[in-house]
Amino acid sequence: ETGVTQTPRHLVMGMTNKKSLKCEQHLGHNAMYWYKQSAKKPLELMFVYSLEERVENNSVPSRFSPECPNSSHLFLHLHTLQPEDSALYLCASSPLGEKLFFGSGTQLSVL
Amino acid sequence: RKEVEQDPGPFNVPEGATVAFNCTYSNSASQSFFWYRQDCRKEPKLLMSVYSSGNEDGRFTAQLNRASQYISLLIRDSKLSDSATYLCVVGTGANNLFFGTGTRLTVIP
């Protein structure tokens, strides 16, 4: 609906696993974002890519590794996560303006 | 101090009621103001931008008070479908937006 699709919708992983979240936008936007949403906390910006270059990482732990191969695709590579990393991970895109268009998110559970 | 603060609610109102939410922000240099709506287990969706002169979209009215550093959202004639969490978003640009924790609204038949 919003033109931003995320996969998978749900993910359960152990602390030693490696997985990747995928985001694709079909809106022709120039900026893409990863946000983390934990229960009872505000959305936290993790990474920003503008014109395929990373512009912000907000001191995110290195167990989260973003990749932006082109302006339409964004990945978040996960490894050796902790249980406290369990959250909803949201991808968003923006036309270098201000409005964010979100994907439906990946609900991640780390066991 | 938090960048953006909202009353978490919940606000439980009957159908047809008028309800208002306020949101305060700490950075006086903020230039971008939005209200997003988030349904349970869904992604946030832009409800409306907030402009200095105030703006209206159907039953929804948003206002900005720069002097007191708050924005508001007024919903008139509440519908059952308005039940959601309303997120206040403030920042200096798309790469510097801060979200509130959200105000939960439940409209009761």
Side-chain angles (χ1 to χ4, degrees), chain A residues 1-2 9 31 33 35 37 40-43 45 48 50 55-56 88 90 94 97-100 102-104, chain B residues 31-34 36 38 41-46 49 51 87 89 92-101:
Chain A
E1 293 175 5
T2 65
R9 291 294 302 274
Y33 310 79
Y35 279 87
Q37 187 174 33
K40 300 189 185 301
K41 289 186 177 180
L43 269 76
L45 177 62
V48 179
S50 179
V55 296
E56 188 69 57
L88 179 67
L90 291 158
S94 169
E98 298 167 334
K99 299 172 185 177
L100 296 170
F102 286 91
S104 53
Chain B
Q31 296 294 326
S32 307
F33 308 92
F34 306 94
Y36 277 74
Q38 186 171 23
R41 302 184 187 281
K42 296 284 185 70
E43 72 276 18
K45 293 184 179 179
L46 179 66
S49 303
Y51 303 117
L87 304 173
V89 184
T92 55
N95 295 347
N96 196 30
L97 292 175
F98 294 92
F99 285 74
T101 51

Side-chain angles (χ1 to χ4, degrees), chain B residues 28-104:
Chain B
S28 59
S30 298
Q31 296 294 326
S32 307
F33 308 92
F34 306 94
W35 284 102
Y36 277 74
R37 170 194 170 130
Q38 186 171 23
D39 292 288
C40 188
R41 302 184 187 281
K42 296 284 185 70
E43 72 276 18
K45 293 184 179 179
L46 179 66
L47 179 64
M48 57 197 303
S49 303
V50 186
Y51 303 117
S52 296
S53 55
N55 47 298
E56 188 173 308
D57 183 3
R59 297 181 293 109
F60 299 85
T61 302
Q63 292 193 314
L64 166 64
N65 185 318
R66 286 189 184 272
S68 301
Q69 294 184 203
Y70 77 83
I71 65 173
S72 64
L73 177 68
L74 182 77
I75 305 175
R76 291 182 299 278
D77 188 22
S78 300
K79 311 291 184 190
L80 296 178
S81 56
D82 294 333
S83 297
T85 296
Y86 291 84
L87 304 173
C88 170
V89 184
V90 177
T92 55
N95 295 347
N96 196 30
L97 292 175
F98 294 92
F99 285 74
T101 51
T103 298
R104 187 171 171 187

